[in-house]
Amino acid sequence: MNPVEEQRVVSALQALTGGLVVTQEDTIKSYEQVTSRLQPPSPRRRIAAAALVAAAAIVAVVVVRDVVADDTAAPPPADSRESTPADALRAALTPDVFSQSDDQFLRGTTPANADLEGLWMSREPHGGFALLMDAEGNYVGPSPSDRLLAGTYSLKGETLTWHMADDGGCARHNSLVHHTSPWLAAIAEDGSLRLRYANVGTSTCSVGDEHEVWDRLGPGATPLGDFLRDSIPALEWRQSTALPPRGLMYSPETGRMVEVLARGRYRHYDSTLALDPAEATDVGRLDGSRDRVDVTCRGGGTSGTLEQAVIPAVADITPPLTAYRFTPEGGGCADGIGAATVWVVLATYI
C-alpha cells in the first residue's frame, strides 16, 4: 500500500468515526465481526411462501379488475418526497462513470490550463483526497504544506503529464523524483476532470490505478460545492471531543481553506487558488479541552466551542465527510478560522 492509498484509508476511517483514533487491533476485530456475520440465512418454508404468493396474486387480479372498471378512479399520488442536496448532486454529476467504456469515459472537451485551476476532490471509490492546481502548471495535494503529491503539469493535446518534484512525499517514497506520468484527459459535460493512465499497467503516486475522476470545489459555484453548502442546515451537531485532524478543511460558505498541521498549528487561506504556504493570510494555533477551544491568530485570539457533524456519503461520489463548527465568544480572529463558519474536512494527512 503506497502513501496515497494509506492516506485515503485514514481519511475514510476518520470520517466514519468522527475523528476517533482507530488502531490496527480495532480494524482486525471489526473485520472478524463482519465476516462472522456473512453467513447464509436459514432456509424458509417454500410451501408457506408459495401460498402467500398465490394469495397475493388473487388479490392483485381483483384490484386490477376494479381499477379498470372504474374510469373515474383517482391517479396515484405523485412522489411528494422533498429533494435533498444529495439528490441534486446525483442529478448534476454523471453516474457510474467507472463502468463506462474508455470512449465514453473520456468524452468531453480537451482541457486548457485555465480549466484546471482551483481545488478538486477525487470521486469515489477513490474519495478522500484533495488536489490544488493553478493555471501556471503547478499542482500539490492534499494541501500546500502537506505535499504528498507535488510538481508541475503540462498539456499537449488530450494528454496531461504530471512532472513529479523532489518535495512530493510519494515521489520520494517511491524513488520517482522527476518521474513523468502521462494521462489522457477530458473535461466532461458535468464539469469533472476525467483522467485515464496513458501507459501500460497501473500508475504509482496516483489516486486511482488507471482511471480517476475529479470534481471541482472552487473557485466559483460547482455542484460539489453547492452540495456541501446546502447540506449544512440539516446536520446534527454534537460537541467535539477532539480538535480537527491534521489535513485540509474547506468552508463551502466562504470558499476559504484551512490547513491543520502538527501540534494544533494551522494556516488559513482566503481562496482555493493558494498552492504555497507563503500565501496563507493567517496563521495560529488551536488548543482546547472537551468544553472549550482557544484560537490564536495574527490579530490576537479568541475562545469558543467546537462542534462536529458528519455529511453522509453520496454513493459513488463522495465518502462521509466530517464537518466542524466553531462558535467564537469574542471578536478576535473573526476573518479567519475564528469566524462563525463550517469547515469540512476534505483530506487528512498521515
Side-chain angles (χ1 to χ4, degrees), residues 30-182:
S30 298
Y31 173 79
E32 292 174 347
Q33 291 174 346
V34 170
T35 53
S36 67
R37 295 171 185 165
L38 295 179
Q39 303 297 330
S42 57
R44 298 180 178 178
R45 295 183 178 274
R46 298 183 180 273
I47 296 178
L52 287 173
V53 171
I58 295 172
V59 173
V61 170
V62 174
V63 170
V64 171
R65 182 193 62 195
D66 291 344
V67 170
V68 172
D70 186 2
D71 292 335
T72 62
D79 185 4
S80 59
R81 185 177 69 87
E82 186 176 350
S83 178
T84 67
D87 294 331
L89 183 63
R90 281 189 287 262
L93 301 183
T94 305
D96 303 323
V97 292
F98 290 100
S99 64
Q100 294 177 339
S101 66
D102 283 345
D103 288 343
Q104 290 177 313
F105 183 81
L106 291 171
R107 186 171 298 165
T109 60
T110 300
N113 285 43
D115 298 322
L116 302 180
E117 67 175 357
L119 172 62
W120 300 78
M121 182 175 174
S122 54
R123 191 182 297 189
E124 288 284 66
H126 311 303
F129 199 88
L131 186 68
L132 289 153
M133 291 188 277
D134 64 22
E136 286 69 49
N138 302 296
Y139 74 93
V140 63
S143 70
S145 298
D146 286 327
R147 306 167 77 86
L148 187 60
L149 301 179
T152 60
Y153 68 87
S154 60
L155 292 169
K156 185 176 181 179
E158 61 181 6
T159 301
L160 181 153
T161 301
W162 304 113
H163 305 267
M164 302 180 190
D166 56 6
D167 60 343
C170 187
R172 290 198 309 271
H173 177 81
N174 291 279
S175 300
L176 293 174
V177 174
H178 306 308
H179 177 76
T180 59
S181 181

Side-chain angles (χ1 to χ4, degrees), residues 49 78 92 150 166 196 227 259 261 309 331 338:
D166 56 6
R196 182 176 71 79
F227 161 72
E259 289 181 289
L261 306 173

Side-chain angles (χ1 to χ4, degrees), residues 17 29 50 90 96 150 177 187 246 279 329 346:
T17 61
K29 186 180 297 182
R90 281 189 287 262
D96 303 323
V177 174
I187 300 294
R246 179 176 173 179
E279 299 177 64
E329 297 174 352
L346 300 182

Side-chain angles (χ1 to χ4, degrees), residues 139-254:
Y139 74 93
V140 63
S143 70
S145 298
D146 286 327
R147 306 167 77 86
L148 187 60
L149 301 179
T152 60
Y153 68 87
S154 60
L155 292 169
K156 185 176 181 179
E158 61 181 6
T159 301
L160 181 153
T161 301
W162 304 113
H163 305 267
M164 302 180 190
D166 56 6
D167 60 343
C170 187
R172 290 198 309 271
H173 177 81
N174 291 279
S175 300
L176 293 174
V177 174
H178 306 308
H179 177 76
T180 59
S181 181
W183 296 70
L184 299 179
I187 300 294
E189 185 179 2
D190 63 2
S192 63
L193 172 63
R194 310 281 182 86
L195 298 175
R196 182 176 71 79
Y197 191 46
N199 287 344
V200 177
T202 58
S203 174
T204 304
C205 290
S206 62
V207 173
D209 292 332
E210 298 177 16
H211 294 78
E212 297 179 0
V213 177
W214 295 87
D215 296 303
R216 194 201 305 264
L217 278 160
T222 66
L224 184 55
D226 291 345
F227 161 72
L228 296 181
R229 184 197 63 232
D230 296 342
S231 296
I232 291 174
L235 294 181
E236 297 181 0
W237 296 97
R238 60 185 175 86
Q239 190 172 32
S240 179
T241 58
L243 295 175
R246 179 176 173 179
L248 182 69
M249 301 194 298
Y250 169 74
S251 169
E253 299 168 309
T254 67

Side-chain angles (χ1 to χ4, degrees), residues 19-35:
L20 297 179
V21 176
V22 180
T23 65
Q24 184 179 18
E25 181 181 355
D26 295 331
T27 305
I28 296 173
K29 186 180 297 182
S30 298
Y31 173 79
E32 292 174 347
Q33 291 174 346
V34 170
T35 53

